Amino acid sequence: MNLGLWWRTIRDIPPRQLAYRVEFEIKKRSFPKLPSFIGRPLALGKEIPTPALRKDYLKALELPNPIAIVNSPADTYTFTFLSQTRELDFPITWNSSNYSRLWQFHLHYFDWIRDILVKAYQEGQIDDYNLGKIQHIIADWIAANPLYSFDGWHPYTTSLRIVNWTYAIAAIPRLNNPTITTSLWHQVNYLHRNKEYFAGGNHLLENLRAVIIGGLNFNHPRAEKMVRVAVNQLSQQLSLQILPDGGHYERSPMYHLIVMNLVAESVACLGCAGWTVPDEILNHLAQMLQFARGIRLTNGSYPLWNDAAYNGVQPLDEIISWVSQLLAGKGDVKEDSALNNSTYQLTDALHQRLVNNITTKETTKKIQPNISPSPISKFPDSGYYILRNSNNIELAFDAAIPCPQELPPHAHADCLTIDLYYQGQPIIVDTGTSEYKAGEIRDLERSTLAHNTITIANQNQSEIWGSFRVGRKAQPFNVESGNSLEWQWVGAAHNGYTKPPFNAIHHRWVGLGIKEIVIIDYLETAFDTNYVSTLHFAPGLVLNYDTDTGVYESPLEKTNLYLKVLGLETDDRVKWLDANSSQSWYAPEFGRRYPRGKLQIQGLLKPKGKVICTLITLDSKPEAIWRYSDNQGTLQLEQERYLKWHFEKKRLVYE
């Protein structure tokens, strides 16, 4: 056991949060062994008969009443989560060592109910098979997962299941039977008393959404008290977790969208129940919406920074569309018109749009998000920058801290990484996230080598380890950005390599011109060591090297890309590794990895320092002259265009 690594991991976690973790582990291990008359009150509080459901809550979700179900359960049911399909015998084996932990969590979520509702709303009714599937599998879960059995009663799986069962009961009133509603009531009470204060972040927000949406089901003072507590905590947590620029503080675009969606669903359901939504929650939701619009790329995607995968949340445009309508209160989107109304409630018409948008994908495809991004999207609190030009080139730059100090699970060692897109086509892209299971794949996907940045002395910038842990965390500094007539640019350094003995530093400046992309990396060290600079290209792209010009060329869908590395010394090596030899992959979805090639620059880093300039152009081969001496550099482009800079006090200054 590396005690130093453990210490650097837990030292940033507040004592109170550590105490919550200890409390959770004690409950998890001891409560299942307690007699029922002791364990149940501890888990649920004083039990009362299951209250009646709130009249007309989520009424617009109701489907036409189906005919009576008489069929027996199927012998097997098929589930697809994380791009992995399994056919499970009935009764279901809910917990198995044959499942990955995340796949098992998904089995307990019951997210598949939403897919059934999608089909039912599209067809105008639910078919007998799918109604029977919902009935039989909910009943099987209740029978097979007694109170405090994990993973079924993990607060996170409980949270998602509460919301999905709530929507199912609203859509299919036949499910309103004593067995199901009593289980749902117990789950809401349990979650109210067992929120994930030990985890915080998006997990705690999921808990709060579930208590709000599930608690509103029930017409009883205790339910209303639980909802009020959750609403107040949601407001407090959003003040903590949503940064001034609107981004979620875990610095993952995927989790930002997850959080934005769960807050919006909470707002919608509160409105449906006739509750007042606090202005603080609406204001934070509006900020998150603006952030989501700003990180949107031309093709409707977003950078896969930190833990992120496109199948981990609904498409960005769908979420932007329905949240815009929610805040505007009408079909034609007007910016945040609801924010001035402190007693904002959903109208019947908006509720109907909510039904369409949270349960069907057909409606949202017809609605184009109201987006006209500025040339440069700056989110300095989050550390995200996206440069755009008139040729539809998008250059994304990550100058973010890896994670909140007390919340490391979704961090990667990716400071100063870049993504490059041309007319929506990915060119240089980060690896993404294919799995959360601890092991070689998880380690590599979180490592610095998996991102489009520089590794020094064979070290990760941040000490990522295990599945969700981080020790020492790299901190960016000297983050600056700007634009001129010819260039948009952003630069930053980080301290991830400053520990002894090398005391190394990496400063990166990226600039986007009319058709050029310039990456200038300044490296220095106290002692001789090695460095590796990596650019991971999208699957299918191949760089061909011209020995006469020293230029790499790759055909794109609509043009050609050219790349040249300037400033190299005799001991530096540039090498293109194709998809068969690169050991690199692109993981845009959980459960999927696509081989791709990478360009690698490596060599010896000496105390005198090193500057590497990577020039990328479109349409025509680069014609450039590079000069560097005494911490001053000039890149001369064609037509007597110059890019000048100098390095001072660990800052690269653009002149």
Side-chain angles (χ1 to χ4, degrees), residues 492-504:
H494 70 80
N495 67 357
Y497 302 127
T498 56
K499 58 184 180 294
F502 298 109
N503 297 316

Side-chain angles (χ1 to χ4, degrees), residues 552-589:
Y552 287 89
E553 179 179 352
S554 177
L556 304 180
E557 293 176 359
K558 299 179 180 179
T559 187
N560 288 331
L561 175 141
Y562 302 93
L563 183 151
K564 187 170 185 177
V565 182
L566 305 167
L568 296 177
E569 299 175 2
T570 56
D571 53 1
D572 293 319
R573 297 289 182 270
V574 183
K575 187 176 183 179
W576 166 254
L577 300 169
D578 62 25
N580 296 321
S581 60
S582 67
Q583 297 182 322
S584 175
W585 62 77
Y586 179 50
E589 299 179 339

Side-chain angles (χ1 to χ4, degrees), residues 426-431 449-452 533-544 552 554 561 563 575-587 593-601:
I427 299 173
I428 297 171
V429 285
D430 261 4
T431 298
L449 283 173
H451 299 89
N452 301 307
S533 177
T534 310
L535 294 177
H536 299 269
F537 282 73
L541 295 185
V542 176
L543 295 185
N544 299 302
Y552 287 89
S554 177
L561 175 141
L563 183 151
K575 187 176 183 179
W576 166 254
L577 300 169
D578 62 25
N580 296 321
S581 60
S582 67
Q583 297 182 322
S584 175
W585 62 77
Y586 179 50
R593 293 185 289 274
Y594 302 95
R596 40 90 174 272
K598 67 181 179 184
L599 186 73
Q600 195 169 78
I601 309 167

Side-chain angles (χ1 to χ4, degrees), residues 379-403:
F379 298 103
D381 303 295
S382 299
Y384 291 173
Y385 296 81
I386 300 180
L387 314 181
R388 303 178 177 90
N389 70 8
S390 57
N391 287 326
N392 210 354
I393 301 173
E394 295 170 302
L395 178 62
F397 184 72
D398 180 356
I401 63 173
C403 57

